Structure formats: structure tokens, C-alpha cells
Amino acid sequence: GQQVMQIPQYQHVQEGEDFTTYCNSSTTLSNIQWYKQRPGGHPVFLIQLVKSGEVKKQKRLTFQFGEAKKNSSLHITATQTTDVGTYFCAGPGGADGLTFGKGTHLIIQP
Amino acid sequence: NAGVTQTPKFQVLKTGQSMTLQCAQDMNHEYMSWYRQDPGMGLRLIHYSVGAGITDQGEVPNGYNVSRSTTEDFPLRLLSAAPSQTSVYFCASSYGGTRLGDTQYFGPGTRLTVL
């Protein structure tokens, strides 16, 4: 079945440094979504990408969808302590549900 | 709006016991689903429903039952709890299904431990 691979699993950064997480799918995706989960919390929707090569920005966050619609990335510029959490990418799965990557845990050292 | 609510927040069961995890949403969403989250595994789809009276299996359905008698409620039943079902369970809802790319709204989760 479809697999969504996400790297790295953990990322330690100093506050103010940039952060990037990468997502790769074994199949072409019609769309990809990104979610953030704070420690002890639940996933919260960040954004959806639909078009090949699409780039979207939300303040310090930049999301990209690859030309082949099989990979995506999330880049955070100048991280802040509020960015701590786990970032998941997710695409439509075989069943009518989402297939999630395993997530990237962002740990920020002040 | 309360959004998606889940009860209980925490539960400890003994092996073989049964229980029902409750999920309700007040957004008039047709689509609802259940995921489990295990360390290092991301979230995996258990069951989903595209509307009242319609349910289907996800990636990891064994040991779980669901029903959807109303648009608002989507309970998840553990028939005979096993230690392998120790996990955090999230309910999610949206207007349409994930193939339509609809935003999924997640509940706060139920943290289940099976001894």
C-alpha cells in the first residue's frame, strides 16, 4: 500500500535557526496536508497543497509540493519556542482516510 | 461550537475488558474517523464513516468495532482489550472525505492503557 516517509525523525535546533522536514510518498498524491501536534496535544491542520510545484507561505513557514507530486517539504525560518512540536505530512490513503508520515519532532534549545 | 469532543481523556483497562470510546462533533460533518497513535508510528486509520449508517475499515481495524447511528456521534468499541491496544486514540471529522482533501479536525484524544 501507499507509504509516506518523513525525515528526519528528530531535529534539534537552537532558537533562531531554521528547520526543514521532508516528506516522500511512494505514489503520486492528489494533495498533501501538513499538521502540527504540540506535546500532549492533538494534530492541528496547517495547510493543504494541491498543485504540482506549489509553494505556500504562512508567516515563517514555507510549504512546497514537488513537481511530481510525490514529495513535499516544510521549512521554518528563525525558529521560536512556540514552534516546538511534531510536524506530520499526510496524503489520501488507500481507504478514505489519511496516510500519515511518522512525523518530525522539533526540539528547540533556547 | 465545541468542535470534536472525546471521552474519556484517560482510561486503564485490564486484558479482556471491553469499553467504548466516545466521539462527538457539532459541526455537521459527514465524515468521521478514528486513528491510533503509537510512539514512532505516526497516526494510523482504524475505521471511518462517510455518513450516518455507513462505516468502513481503515488500515488497522482488527479488535475494534464502530457504528454511526447519527451524524454527530461515532463511538469506537474495543471488544476484548489487549495490551497491543495501548495507544492514544484520536477521532477526526470533516465535511467530506480525505480524498476530497478536506481539513480534518481532531479531537483531544483518549489515552488508553491495557494491562
Side-chain angles (χ1 to χ4, degrees):
Chain A
Q2 179 196 32
Q3 292 186 348
V4 176
M5 309 299 291
Q6 196 173 349
I7 58 170
Q9 186 175 0
Y10 293 91
Q11 184 73 59
H12 292 77
V13 301
Q14 296 283 338
E15 187 176 8
E17 292 182 338
D18 292 356
F19 160 79
T20 304
T21 174
Y22 300 91
C23 185
N24 288 285
S25 171
S26 58
T27 60
T28 300
L29 300 171
S30 59
N31 67 83
I32 193 162
Q33 299 182 359
W34 285 91
Y35 289 80
K36 176 184 178 180
Q37 184 177 24
R38 294 183 183 275
H42 59 278
V44 175
F45 175 82
L46 293 176
I47 208 162
Q48 178 183 255
L49 304 171
V50 178
K51 298 178 182 178
S52 170
E54 189 170 15
V55 178
K56 287 189 176 180
K57 293 188 177 183
Q58 289 180 349
K59 298 182 179 179
R60 295 178 294 103
L61 278 61
T62 302
F63 303 85
Q64 294 188 340
F65 201 11
E67 294 290 340
K69 301 183 73 174
K70 297 180 71 174
N71 58 74
S72 181
S73 65
L74 158 59
H75 179 82
I76 302 178
T77 303
T79 55
Q80 301 175 357
T81 55
T82 54
D83 295 326
V84 165
T86 303
Y87 293 84
F88 293 97
C89 61
D96 193 0
L98 290 173
T99 296
F100 281 82
K102 293 183 179 181
T104 296
H105 300 264
L106 174 59
I107 299 122
I108 298 177
Q109 297 156 340
Chain B
N1 287 352
V4 180
T5 58
Q6 291 183 237
T7 56
K9 290 186 178 180
F10 301 93
Q11 183 70 52
V12 179
L13 292 177
K14 294 181 180 179
T15 296
Q17 288 184 318
S18 63
M19 80 159 294
T20 300
L21 280 63
Q22 302 291 343
C23 174
Q25 51 89 13
D26 61 359
M27 297 175 282
N28 203 31
H29 286 169
E30 289 294 327
Y31 179 89
M32 297 185 74
S33 57
W34 278 100
Y35 291 85
R36 62 177 288 174
Q37 183 175 32
D38 303 294
M41 294 295 293
L43 291 95
R44 293 180 292 170
L45 180 67
I46 304 172
H47 285 285
Y48 65 95
S49 168
V50 298
I54 305 169
T55 63
D56 209 341
Q57 296 181 352
E59 179 186 355
V60 288
N62 292 342
Y64 307 95
N65 274 359
V66 292
S67 59
R68 184 96 180 269
S69 56
T70 67
T71 299
E72 294 78 19
D73 300 297
F74 190 42
L76 178 72
R77 296 183 188 84
L78 280 69
L79 308 174
S80 177
S84 60
Q85 293 180 303
T86 294
S87 187
V88 181
Y89 292 85
F90 289 102
C91 177
S93 74
S94 66
Y95 286 109
T98 57
R99 288 175 182 159
L100 299 177
D102 282 0
T103 300
Q104 300 300 304
Y105 295 87
F106 284 83
T110 294
R111 283 149 181 80
L112 175 68
T113 300
V114 183
L115 303 176

